[in-house]
Amino acid sequence: MNPDQVLINIAEKIASCNKCDLHHSREKGVPGEGPSNAEIIFIGEGPGFHENMQGRPFVGAAGDFLVELLDGIGLKREDVFITNVVKCRPPGNRDPAPEELKTCSPYLDQQLQVINPKVIVTLGRFSMARFFPHAKISEIHGQPVQVKGMLVVPFYHPAAALHRPSLRSVVEEDFASLPELIKNAEKTPAVQSKDPPEEENQAEQLRLF
Ligand code: URA
């Protein structure tokens, strides 16, 4: 099956998913969007109000800022894949619960498997924690780490800079470093395994891709 079709199939599963309680309050599942051969994937936290209504990631204020940051480094949102660790909106924009993160995780595993990006940029602490469960974002943001053949770069969430203006220049500097990181990152070999990984440690899981 071609990669575009695999992504469509994943999106269809998300649209009708009822594996956790978030499906009760969601308007639309938000699988993510972008080319199946994207070199870079941005992973946010979860859909907010506008994303839930439109079924598209990062279309509210944080999305506008993300587009601005991408523009600053010569990228358009259509050039990259954008998704979240949870695909349905936590009510009232509360933090995703551990059980929701765990239940939703295979969808992201499968997207990563198909897209096989050069660089994974995590936006905010929830997507960072998927790869670095015990890290502090204030200590590791902007520092690329090779995780089982993929370059993972933890960034602050764009919304954090909207709430804390002092973070804006930090976020802009982190983004400014991306083109060089992308240029130097090696594309990992094509995926062999079709099964979503099941171990607890997400960094360990990526070995399978
Ligand atoms: N914040 C996120 O983390 N994801 C979105 O899609 C929108 C806002």
Side-chain angles (χ1 to χ4, degrees):
M1 201 186 300
N2 79 59
D4 291 314
Q5 190 56 50
V6 179
L7 288 180
I8 290 169
N9 291 357
I10 296 168
E12 284 173 357
K13 283 200 198 118
I14 291 167
S16 59
C17 181
N18 57 7
K19 290 185 162 69
C20 84
D21 282 348
L22 293 182
H23 83 277
H24 293 299
S25 53
R26 76 156 178 247
E27 205 58 50
K28 288 187 175 165
V30 182
E33 62 188 24
S36 60
N37 63 351
E39 290 197 326
I40 178 159
I41 180 167
F42 288 84
I43 308 174
E45 180 178 320
F49 175 84
H50 296 285
E51 291 78 18
N52 179 51
M53 299 308 287
Q54 295 183 35
R56 298 182 59 210
F58 282 92
V59 289
D64 290 345
F65 187 36
L66 177 60
V67 168
E68 196 182 315
L69 290 161
L70 290 173
D71 191 50
I73 53 171
L75 289 172
K76 295 190 180 8
R77 66 177 283 152
E78 297 76 31
D79 298 331
V80 301
F81 198 89
I82 304 175
T83 189
N84 287 298
V85 277
V86 292
K87 313 300 192 191
C88 295
R89 183 190 185 207
N93 292 351
R94 66 159 169 74
D95 290 347
E99 202 50 39
E100 292 158 359
L101 288 161
K102 192 171 171 205
T103 306
C104 210
S105 175
Y107 293 125
L108 182 55
D109 293 336
Q110 289 160 23
Q111 289 172 321
L112 286 170
Q113 199 172 40
V114 176
I115 298 164
N116 188 30
K118 267 183 168 182
V119 176
I120 298 170
V121 178
T122 63
L123 298 172
R125 61 197 168 96
F126 286 95
S127 58
M128 176 195 70
R130 188 180 185 281
F131 300 96
F132 313 115
H134 307 296
K136 279 194 178 158
I137 198 155
S138 58
E139 290 171 2
I140 69 161
H141 72 90
Q143 295 171 33
V145 178
Q146 198 76 35
V147 180
K148 310 294 178 191
M150 290 195 195
L151 201 69
V152 182
V153 196
F155 281 2
Y156 280 104
H157 196 289
L162 297 179
H163 295 128
R164 269 173 66 192
S166 61
L167 274 184
R168 193 182 173 104
S169 58
V170 177
V171 172
E172 285 170 347
E173 275 170 32
D174 282 350
F175 268 79
S177 69
L178 254 188
E180 197 61 19
L181 295 178
I182 299 168
K183 206 167 83 188
N184 296 333
E186 292 288 325
K187 185 107 177 154
T188 49
V191 174
Q192 300 299 322
S193 167
K194 287 220 161 24
D195 300 323
E198 281 181 4
E199 297 103 310
E200 280 276 299
N201 183 328
Q202 300 292 331
E204 191 59 28
Q205 287 186 8
L206 288 176
R207 193 154 49 121
L208 297 174
F209 296 133

